[in-house]
Amino acid sequence: RYLSFVPNAPSNAASLFDLVVSASSVYGGTWLEGAGVVAAENQALRFLSDMIGFPEKSGGVFVSGGTAANLSALIAARYDFRSKQPKYEKTRLSILCATSAHSSIRQAMRAMDFDIVDVDGDEDGRLIGSTLEKAYKKLSDDEKKLIFAVVASAGATNNGYVDDLENVGSFANKHNIWFHVDGAYGGPAMLCNETRELFNGVEKADSFTVDPHKWLFAPFDCAALIYKDPTIARAAHSQHAEYLDA
């Protein structure tokens, strides 16, 4: 069965290009200084956005790995929540996820000093819509108001299972809660006809992560973070300093 070991297997072209980019020391932080690199990144991000079924306006960024990607997504979710409800600017918030969620989700919540409401999974540890709804109903009205995100796995790293994205996404959309899908490990399986239907509902997500160094033949180490509405992420993460105003 599944042995929880995730090596990478980059293609020859990927290894060669990684060598060229590293040796060239290209800076891709702004279009002015690295337009070609930024254009290539945008093409790759467009491919991944289309894989998910996100709209044309979607976009994202490459970060160092799945841990950074999940943290960034939850920071954007927090920003979106508080920008709509500024009265919770200094309030401790919470997310909903299954106990099988990746450890980086819990690490992100520790870093943000927020809480996790654990939802029991099914017999395979999957987060499913019916148990999520039951767990939510058990919360007090005040607790419900502090839920700013629901996190689901699109191919859990520990066991390979895909959460019930269709019904979990419907729940999040119905309650106007940010829906983040962690597809760092298993997300690329939606490119296979035999497994695509397991990911039905992923298009309902507000943010999605995938690690190309796992099943997309890229060298260690990177993660792609895709937002349905990248303007929210840009507002959440933008820095303002004189030397950055290129």
Side-chain angles (χ1 to χ4, degrees), residues 73-75 77-79 81 93-96 109 112 114-115 144-150 176-179:
L74 290 171
I75 287 174
R78 177 186 64 184
Y79 174 87
F81 178 89
L93 306 175
S94 305
I95 65 168
L96 289 160
M109 296 304 286
M112 298 169 72
F114 283 174
D115 296 317
K144 290 176 182 176
K145 293 175 182 177
L146 300 180
I147 300 294
F148 76 96
V150 175
N176 294 315
I177 302 173
W178 185 283
F179 182 33

Side-chain angles (χ1 to χ4, degrees), residues 26-226:
V26 178
Y27 174 69
T30 70
W31 185 267
L32 174 67
E33 293 156 299
V37 176
V38 175
E41 283 190 345
N42 286 343
Q43 274 192 303
L45 291 166
R46 182 71 261 154
F47 167 80
L48 295 171
S49 297
D50 291 343
M51 176 185 79
I52 305 164
F54 272 9
E56 188 65 30
K57 70 173 185 177
S58 64
V61 66
F62 285 101
V63 295
S64 60
T67 297
N70 284 328
L71 175 60
S72 295
L74 290 171
I75 287 174
R78 177 186 64 184
Y79 174 87
D80 185 57
F81 178 89
R82 285 178 166 170
S83 65
K84 295 173 180 174
Q85 302 184 77
K87 65 181 179 179
Y88 295 121
E89 179 62 33
K90 299 185 183 298
T91 304
R92 189 181 177 103
L93 306 175
S94 305
I95 65 168
L96 289 160
C97 69
T99 53
S100 59
H102 191 266
S103 57
S104 64
I105 300 298
R106 301 182 184 280
Q107 185 68 16
M109 296 304 286
R110 281 195 292 269
M112 298 169 72
D113 198 24
F114 283 174
D115 296 317
I116 294 177
V117 178
D118 283 315
V119 180
D120 291 333
D122 63 5
E123 63 274 12
D124 296 319
R126 299 166 61 244
L127 180 66
I128 60 175
S130 57
T131 54
L132 176 62
E133 190 75 56
K134 289 178 183 177
Y136 184 73
K137 288 181 178 178
K138 290 180 180 178
L139 299 176
S140 68
D141 290 341
D142 287 339
E143 289 173 326
K144 290 176 182 176
K145 293 175 182 177
L146 300 180
I147 300 294
F148 76 96
V150 175
V151 179
S153 298
T157 313
N158 284 335
N159 57 29
Y161 286 112
V162 179
D163 287 343
D164 176 18
L165 303 179
E166 184 74 63
N167 292 310
V168 172
S170 295
F171 166 88
N173 293 172
K174 179 178 71 173
H175 294 286
N176 294 315
I177 302 173
W178 185 283
F179 182 33
H180 174 61
V181 176
D182 177 10
Y185 168 67
M190 69 180 70
L191 293 169
C192 301
N193 292 333
E194 294 87 347
T195 50
R196 180 60 183 89
E197 66 178 17
L198 295 173
F199 300 87
N200 290 344
V202 68
E203 70 282 354
K204 298 178 181 180
D206 295 287
S207 54
F208 180 90
T209 63
V210 61
D211 289 359
H213 68 254
K214 292 191 171 82
W215 288 11
L216 293 176
F217 311 107
F220 274 122
D221 185 12
C222 74
L225 171 56
I226 315 291

